[in-house]
Amino acid sequence: MKTTSPSKISPATSASSPNSSRPAILIDGAGKTYGDVEAVRPISLTIEPGETVALLGPSGSGKTTLLSMMAGELEPSQGSIHLRGKNLADLHPGRELSREVGMIHQQYDLVPNLSSLQNVLAGRLGDWGLLKSVISLVWPQDRQVGLTALEQVGVVDRARVRAGFLSGGEQQRIAVARLLVQDPAIIIADEPVSSLDPARAEEVMGILSESARQAGKTLVASVHSTDVARTYFGRLIGLRNGGREFDLPSHLVTDDQLDALYTLEGLQDE
Amino acid sequence: MNDRAHEGSLGGRGALTAILLIAFAVSLVGVGWEDGLLNSGGLRAVGQIVAAAIQPQLTLDVLSIGARSTWTTLAYAWAGMTVALVIGLPLGIIGSGTLVRSPWARRWNISFARFALAVFRAIHELVWAWLFVAALGLSPMAGVLALGLPYGGILGRIYAELLQDVPDAPLRALRGAGASEWRVFWFGRLPMALPDMLSYTFYRLECGIRSAAILSFVGLGGLGHNIHISLQDIDYSRMWTFVYFLIALVLVVDLWSSLVRRRVAIEQG
Ligand SMILES: Nc1ncnc2c1ncn2[C@@H]1O[C@H](COP(=O)(O)OP(=O)(O)O)[C@@H](O)[C@H]1O
Ligand SMILES: [Mg+2]
């Protein structure tokens, strides 16, 4: 079930591969408050390596906040988060962190005037020396790694096109390919397809979850559509007002639970 | 910080306009019009100059002087721009404060580079020329440095701003992929700022050509020098030949810059 990415085997990944007893993500009472707003109430949960987890919940329920904390982009107000046994707070931002976790954001964040290939290869910047990085601007290094990733997400024919000229769906595929090249153990995605039309969204989500599954990566994503969540994810976590409503294997989540998550505004007491 | 300008705009802007108008009126009175800005022969001279415009002197002799002095002026401008780039690029990059992460180091980088750039920029190229001619004599080096220093100050300041004003999301994504600030700079900031930086550099090259012509009035050779001599000889036809060379030079640079910019805009790096 667990295979390493064909593109690259990082020491960190291979070192901990045999050790599957350690959870990929261990959240211990982590929460986030802004002033007196509880964006995420203290929550504890465990995500095993290779799991695909979808966060569901209405707007403002805390999905982005929780994901950003898992990705090390946001510090929890309390509690702790461990990624594969390492305390997130101790991981050096940069290379060390980028081995553990990578995040795809809702908005497109490619460098618009570099080619798709170069954007994808930017996933390697944590490994490249400065000289190699600069040379790569004119003469892309490790081309094959980039092309393989582009092929995986189905846009290898766009390799030479500048990212700014691509459609939204293509740009999100490039962002997925960049993450594949970065090759973190854990992939976090915050509504990566919410700005795409439904057909395109389904395609990209399929590519993302399939790539994660193939490479044996842990995937945690916030998803708009409950259908997409049930199709592509093994486990669903429902969030509301910063708190967890349910946390179940996706085939056990009922329509009633989903309806309640989105529609019972104000009727639910805690 | 724009809010205040918006709120108080009507009263504030009205007052400012009034002050500027009054200052303009005062300055009109201040200029000594009677001292022969348009002297008796002035109108006749204007007529002669306009008439000469359609019959520039096109003898082989004048044309070859024109070609050679065009080359001289271009060489001054080009060498001056090279000096300007050597000064402006590194100071602009440091002055953007984007290579360091700690706020403290950033503030020092910005203050140091901006101060140096301001010093270069504060002094006009003619004043620099005067200083360098005093120090080095009438040498090409004096002209090149006189042009390069203030232009370096201007380029550096604009570069710093262009590098700062780049969208943040792509940079954050690169940091997320493990890139250090230097790699973020090379792979994100510079490529995003480059089209505008190139465009501005070309614009400055055009300005540099005009300035080089002016500097040659000071006695450094080139098109300006020949225009100056023709005017002293009251040979307006010959003057126009050189003016047309100058216009053609600026047009060619403009054409070249739009070609380069189109390449940068469409081709992937
Ligand atoms: N930087 C912030 N400052 C203040 N409040 C915030 C900030 N980020 C998020 N919030 C609040 O936290 C709550 C959860 O936000 P978020 O995690 O973005 O929800 P979601 O992604 O599910 O829409 C919201 O009430 C939001 O207003
Ligand atoms: Mg969100």
Side-chain angles (χ1 to χ4, degrees):
Chain A
M1 156 196 161
K2 203 168 178 181
T3 55
T4 43
S5 153
S7 53
K8 175 185 145 192
I9 303 166
S10 68
T13 312
S14 39
S16 55
S17 285
N19 190 351
S20 40
S21 64
R22 269 188 316 201
I25 305 175
L26 176 67
I27 302 182
D28 184 12
K32 183 77 187 177
T33 49
Y34 291 105
D36 44 4
V37 177
E38 278 194 302
V40 172
R41 284 182 237 164
I43 187 173
S44 295
L45 58 88
T46 305
I47 296 172
E48 297 302 331
E51 261 194 288
T52 52
V53 182
L55 292 189
L56 294 168
S59 173
S61 58
K63 303 182 296 293
T64 299
T65 307
L66 183 55
L67 290 172
S68 305
M69 288 194 292
M70 290 185 200
E73 291 189 358
L74 187 68
E75 223 178 300
S77 314
Q78 63 203 97
S80 69
I81 299 176
H82 285 74
L83 302 182
R84 301 196 303 164
K86 283 160 265 180
N87 192 338
L88 193 46
D90 298 336
L91 288 174
H92 191 264
R95 196 171 158 178
E96 205 180 2
L97 183 60
S98 69
R99 289 249 161 99
E100 298 299 327
V101 61
M103 184 160 178
I104 299 180
H105 296 90
Q106 180 175 350
Q107 81 276 22
Y108 312 134
D109 54 13
L110 305 178
V111 180
N113 31 9
L114 291 183
S115 70
S116 307
L117 180 62
Q118 282 170 316
N119 268 286
V120 170
L121 289 172
R124 284 234 132 162
L125 284 174
D127 297 322
W128 280 350
L130 187 57
L131 185 64
K132 195 169 178 182
S133 307
V134 174
I135 290 173
S136 198
L137 273 180
V138 185
W139 198 267
Q141 303 289 297
D142 300 346
R143 287 179 70 91
Q144 203 45 54
V145 177
L147 291 173
T148 307
L150 279 170
E151 200 157 353
Q152 222 172 325
V153 299
V155 284
V156 71
D157 55 319
R158 311 297 258 158
R160 294 184 60 80
V161 182
R162 301 200 316 149
F165 291 154
L166 299 176
S167 71
E170 288 171 325
Q171 292 202 32
Q172 264 332 35
R173 284 168 192 244
I174 304 290
V176 172
R178 179 173 61 192
L179 209 57
L180 294 178
V181 167
Q182 181 188 331
D183 195 29
I186 299 160
I187 294 179
I188 306 284
D190 185 22
E191 303 199 30
V193 295
S194 60
S195 42
L196 306 179
D197 65 78
R200 220 58 54 213
E202 181 118 16
E203 264 173 38
V204 173
M205 197 45 99
I207 288 166
L208 181 59
S209 60
E210 195 46 44
S211 315
R213 229 183 287 272
Q214 269 177 19
K217 295 190 182 309
T218 310
L219 173 65
V220 186
S222 63
V223 186
H224 229 59
S225 142
T226 53
D227 289 340
V228 166
R230 278 173 156 160
T231 312
Y232 294 108
F233 292 83
R235 173 176 170 190
L236 308 188
I237 297 177
L239 285 182
R240 222 178 114 88
N241 296 325
R244 175 172 41 187
E245 294 292 314
F246 58 79
D247 180 353
L248 293 167
S250 52
H251 63 273
L252 293 183
V253 177
T254 64
D255 288 346
D256 285 348
Q257 279 173 310
L258 291 174
D259 289 346
L261 191 63
Y262 289 101
T263 56
L264 277 182
E265 208 53 52
L267 286 181
Q268 204 164 350
D269 293 331
E270 44 216 301
Chain B
M1 69 190 160
N2 282 332
D3 297 0
R4 247 187 57 193
H6 280 294
E7 282 165 15
S9 64
L10 271 180
R13 211 175 287 166
L16 186 62
T17 311
I19 291 171
L20 287 175
L21 279 177
I22 292 168
F24 178 61
V26 171
S27 74
L28 286 182
V29 177
V31 174
W33 297 103
E34 64 282 0
D35 298 347
L37 260 184
L38 274 177
N39 59 34
S40 49
L43 270 179
R44 197 151 38 88
V46 169
Q48 286 170 349
I49 293 174
V50 171
I54 53 168
Q55 38 189 320
Q57 205 171 319
L58 297 174
T59 62
L60 207 58
D61 195 29
V62 173
L63 285 178
S64 94
I65 295 176
R68 252 180 297 140
S69 50
T70 299
W71 176 249
T72 308
T73 296
L74 179 63
Y76 270 120
W78 193 253
M81 281 305 285
T82 308
V83 172
L85 277 172
V86 167
I87 293 170
L89 199 54
L91 282 178
I93 291 173
I94 297 170
S96 70
T98 54
L99 287 181
V100 287
R101 235 171 242 194
S102 95
W104 185 84
R106 177 164 304 169
R107 207 158 41 237
W108 273 102
N109 275 7
I110 291 177
S111 316
F112 159 74
R114 299 264 169 131
F115 177 75
L117 289 169
V119 170
F120 288 130
R121 205 168 61 232
I123 303 171
H124 192 270
E125 52 260 37
L126 278 176
V127 179
W128 280 117
W130 181 54
L131 291 174
F132 281 119
V133 168
L136 307 169
L138 269 181
S139 77
M141 187 55 93
V144 167
L145 289 177
L147 198 61
L149 263 48
Y151 274 56
I154 295 166
L155 282 184
R157 202 206 121 169
I158 301 288
Y159 288 169
E161 274 170 18
L162 290 176
L163 286 168
Q164 274 177 338
D165 287 350
V166 146
D168 208 35
L171 305 180
R172 256 182 286 141
L174 295 180
R175 286 187 199 112
S180 68
E181 284 309 300
W182 277 84
R183 290 168 186 77
V184 168
F185 177 84
W186 281 103
F187 238 81
R189 214 177 268 284
L190 190 64
M192 286 195 276
L194 195 61
D196 285 343
M197 286 171 70
L198 262 181
S199 181
Y200 189 77
T201 308
F202 269 107
Y203 167 66
R204 269 292 139 193
L205 177 61
E206 274 178 47
C207 299
I209 287 169
R210 283 186 284 128
S211 288
I214 292 287
L215 285 179
S216 80
F217 277 116
V218 177
L220 290 166
L223 281 173
H225 180 63
N226 282 305
I227 291 172
H228 186 56
I229 291 176
S230 308
L231 274 172
Q232 279 180 337
D233 297 348
I234 319 185
D235 190 343
Y236 296 131
S237 316
R238 196 149 64 99
M239 179 204 76
W240 276 108
T241 313
F242 298 129
V243 170
Y244 287 137
F245 268 104
L246 189 56
I247 293 173
L249 181 55
V250 170
L251 285 179
V252 166
V253 168
D254 187 39
L255 187 70
W256 180 38
S257 95
S258 58
L259 286 179
V260 170
R261 263 179 283 160
R262 198 167 327 146
R263 245 175 76 95
V264 172
I266 292 175
E267 219 179 65
Q268 43 92 16

